[in-house]
Amino acid sequence: MLHYCPFLLLLCVARLLSPSSALPFEQRGFWDFAMDSMDGGGMMTMMRDEEEGSAVDEIVPPDRYVCPFGCHCQLRVVQCSDLGLTEVPKNIPQDTKFLDLQNNRISELKENDFKGLTNLYALSLRNNHISKVHPKTFEPLKRMQKLYFSKNMLTTIPKNLPASLVELRIHENRIKKVAAGAFSGLGSMNCIEMGANPIHNSGFEPGAFKGLKLNYLRISEAKLTGVPKDLPESLNELHLDHNQIQAVELEDLKRYKSLYRLGLGYNNIRNIENGSLAYLPMLRELHLDNNRLTKVPRGLPEMKYLQVVYLHANQISQVNVDDFCPRGFGMKRTFYNGISLFANPVNYWEVQPATFRCVSDRLAIQFGNYKK
């Protein structure tokens, strides 16, 4: 009987060394439980097949539900974020509406990365290492409306963006130049966020925004020294905060008669040329905080719809009785509900109460201590 012992020992060792079907430990989350409840364990079966090497693309019927390994797929949402991916995964379900690829290590978008995804509505590529985009990458995405491309390494606006695009967020890249026609064919676009790029005024070629009918544009945290020229006339909101703008000249705002919110905070503005604000008849909010103004800009009393003015953290030492409100009646149609003047070297007790006669509530006026 003893001569069988070596054989049994070898058999036990062989079983221990054979490939195991158990997957490594994986932290369970909401998506895992949701998928298990939806497909009766199908997700875990697929993951096991991938781990063992038995899931081969060729044997999967083209119309069968497939979710890329490691991703979570539910209700036409494919979440592949935070996986350390170096390329766009294969086998993305063709009925996907939202594809989340943020927080990975993707460095390039290839021609066929999104092939067949004709129903895609939104794509998030935020926080990757993308520096190259093939000219035909977005060709299949005929219905995509939202593209989140922030925190990458792009140096130019990607070419041939889908004509259906409505919103583009491309801030925190390395864009230094926007060429003429960079947004051509994007007649449906109404929102562009492109702040935190090292772009100067000279980086915008004439015609860079030609054809666009934007409502919202943000170019904050850039290298601008003046208000850019030839931005879309249709703008309702323009945000140029955290730049190096030194002055607002008479012609800078002439095109933007539909503007109702203008952000110029955190610049180096010392002067706003008299008459500049008269071109903004619909303006409701004006942000000029954290600049170097020494007086309240002229023209505020004539702005019929202006309700909010941020002037805090400037160098304003005097506020006159007619700086905000018109004399008499019939000019201003809305009352102010926010005027900030704190962190200025002005003695608030020297400001006449009549200065704020067209303010809706005394709590809307913000004074504060000034520290040299």
Side-chain angles (χ1 to χ4, degrees):
M1 186 68 178
L2 294 175
H3 63 278
Y4 289 111
C5 290
F7 172 78
L8 293 173
L9 182 60
L10 287 172
L11 181 61
C12 292
V13 171
R15 288 181 63 85
L16 287 172
L17 294 177
S18 64
S20 171
S21 62
L23 288 172
F25 172 76
E26 182 178 25
Q27 181 66 46
R28 302 281 287 174
F30 168 80
W31 279 93
D32 299 302
F33 290 111
M35 285 306 302
D36 286 352
S37 63
M38 280 186 63
D39 62 3
M43 176 70 172
M44 294 306 294
T45 301
M46 188 193 76
M47 291 174 65
R48 190 176 295 111
D49 289 342
E50 284 280 351
E51 186 71 11
E52 293 179 353
S54 62
V56 183
D57 291 345
E58 287 76 11
I59 65 173
V60 178
D63 57 346
R64 183 176 171 183
Y65 170 78
V66 177
C67 188
F69 176 68
C71 302
H72 302 293
C73 303
Q74 184 182 22
L75 301 177
R76 298 182 182 177
V77 175
V78 177
Q79 185 187 39
C80 301
S81 60
D82 302 278
L83 295 177
L85 299 175
T86 56
E87 61 181 7
V88 176
K90 310 299 181 185
N91 299 329
I92 299 171
Q94 293 191 0
D95 64 347
T96 300
K97 290 282 189 180
F98 178 75
L99 177 58
D100 182 5
L101 292 168
Q102 65 180 321
N103 303 328
N104 281 294
R105 300 174 184 173
I106 301 170
S107 60
E108 180 181 359
L109 297 182
K110 302 181 181 66
E111 179 178 358
N112 296 317
D113 278 347
F114 305 113
K115 186 177 181 180
L117 301 182
T118 56
N119 294 310
L120 197 67
Y121 172 81
L123 171 62
S124 177
L125 294 161
R126 183 179 179 276
N127 196 24
N128 275 276
H129 302 157
I130 300 170
S131 60
K132 293 178 63 179
V133 180
H134 192 279
K136 295 184 178 180
T137 292
F138 300 112
E139 194 173 83
L141 309 179
K142 305 296 185 182
R143 300 178 183 176
M144 188 169 71
Q145 294 189 25
K146 297 178 183 291
L147 177 57
Y148 305 113
F149 228 132
S150 306
K151 293 191 174 183
N152 277 281
M153 299 180 181
L154 297 173
T155 56
T156 59
I157 305 296
K159 294 182 178 180
N160 301 321
L161 294 170
S164 57
L165 207 60
V166 172
E167 179 180 340
L168 174 64
R169 299 190 179 270
I170 199 166
H171 59 281
E172 289 190 63
N173 276 271
R174 301 178 179 179
I175 298 171
K176 294 183 178 181
K177 180 181 178 181
V178 180
F183 302 106
S184 60
L186 301 177
S188 299
M189 184 87 75
N190 66 27
C191 172
I192 294 180
E193 159 66 89
M194 58 178 302
N197 280 288
I199 189 166
H200 295 75
N201 286 72
S202 58
F204 295 101
E205 290 188 357
F209 295 93
K210 186 178 181 180
L212 288 179
K213 297 179 180 179
L214 296 180
N215 294 325
Y216 178 100
L217 176 62
R218 182 184 290 273
I219 317 176
S220 60
E221 300 176 79
K223 304 291 184 181
L224 302 179
T225 55
V227 177
K229 309 296 183 183
D230 300 327
L231 300 178
E233 296 182 10
S234 57
L235 283 173
N236 296 137
E237 292 193 40
L238 175 59
H239 299 271
L240 301 172
D241 43 291
H242 290 274
N243 275 286
Q244 301 165 17
I245 299 173
Q246 299 179 14
V248 177
E249 299 177 355
L250 187 61
E251 299 294 312
D252 284 346
L253 304 173
K254 188 175 182 179
R255 294 167 54 88
Y256 315 117
K257 300 186 185 302
S258 299
L259 209 64
Y260 62 73
R261 183 176 289 125
L262 175 60
L264 289 167
Y266 290 91
N267 276 281
N268 298 320
I269 299 174
R270 297 175 180 271
N271 181 52
I272 297 178
E273 193 171 353
N274 190 23
S276 299
L277 299 178
Y279 293 115
L280 307 176
M282 306 303 294
L283 199 68
R284 286 161 170 75
E285 289 189 25
L286 177 59
H287 297 242
L288 285 165
D289 55 287
N290 291 278
N291 277 284
R292 299 184 181 183
L293 296 172
T294 57
K295 59 184 179 181
V296 176
R298 292 188 177 183
L300 299 185
E302 288 75 38
M303 303 184 76
K304 298 178 182 180
Y305 301 102
L306 189 62
Q307 299 174 44
V308 176
V309 183
Y310 286 177
L311 290 167
H312 56 271
N314 275 277
Q315 298 173 11
I316 299 171
S317 58
Q318 184 177 359
V319 178
N320 297 315
V321 70
D322 294 327
D323 277 346
F324 295 99
C325 303
R327 287 185 174 272
F329 300 94
M331 284 297 296
K332 194 154 183 67
R333 297 184 180 180
T334 58
F335 286 101
Y336 289 101
N337 54 42
I339 295 177
S340 68
L341 284 162
F342 62 88
N344 277 291
V346 57
N347 297 324
Y348 64 88
W349 57 86
E350 295 179 356
V351 179
Q352 298 183 37
T355 301
F356 305 110
R357 57 190 177 273
C358 58
V359 178
S360 59
D361 191 303
R362 63 180 181 178
L363 297 177
I365 305 165
Q366 298 180 23
F367 275 109
N369 294 327
Y370 172 73
K371 296 181 180 180
K372 294 183 180 179

